[in-house]
Amino acid sequence: PKIVAVAQASPGAVVVNSFAQGKQALASGKKIQYVGAIGPIIFDQWHNASGAYEAASSLNGTNVKILGTVSAAQIAKLKGGG
């Protein structure tokens, strides 16, 4: 329950993107919303979370081209959770 509370938006919460930012905000008495490198974490009714998915193309591991992205919010809508 604490992980869900930290990851969800709430009134007055400061958005943080790293442990260090979160630690500093909490130490100064602020509420936080952790948003990681892939964006907001969206939990379903069972507290499972899917991140974003990307399709990429590359030749020999170089010149990576992102072909498309499906966000966590789009996945949640498909699952009926958002």
Side-chain angles (χ1 to χ4, degrees):
K2 298 287 185 183
I3 293 171
V4 174
V6 168
Q8 291 181 335
S10 63
V14 176
V15 174
V16 298
N17 302 104
S18 71
F19 176 84
Q21 289 176 341
K23 183 178 177 182
Q24 182 179 18
L26 290 170
S28 64
K30 297 178 182 171
K31 289 175 61 176
I32 65 168
Q33 177 192 1
Y34 174 74
V35 176
I38 60 171
I41 302 167
I42 299 173
F43 293 92
D44 64 16
Q45 66 264 34
W46 302 284
H47 295 157
N48 294 320
S50 296
Y53 290 89
E54 290 185 331
S57 174
S58 172
L59 296 174
N60 300 323
T62 60
N63 299 324
V64 176
K65 179 181 178 186
I66 303 300
L67 303 174
T69 302
V70 179
S71 71
Q74 290 169 313
I75 292 168
K77 285 181 184 178
L78 292 172
K79 290 173 48 179

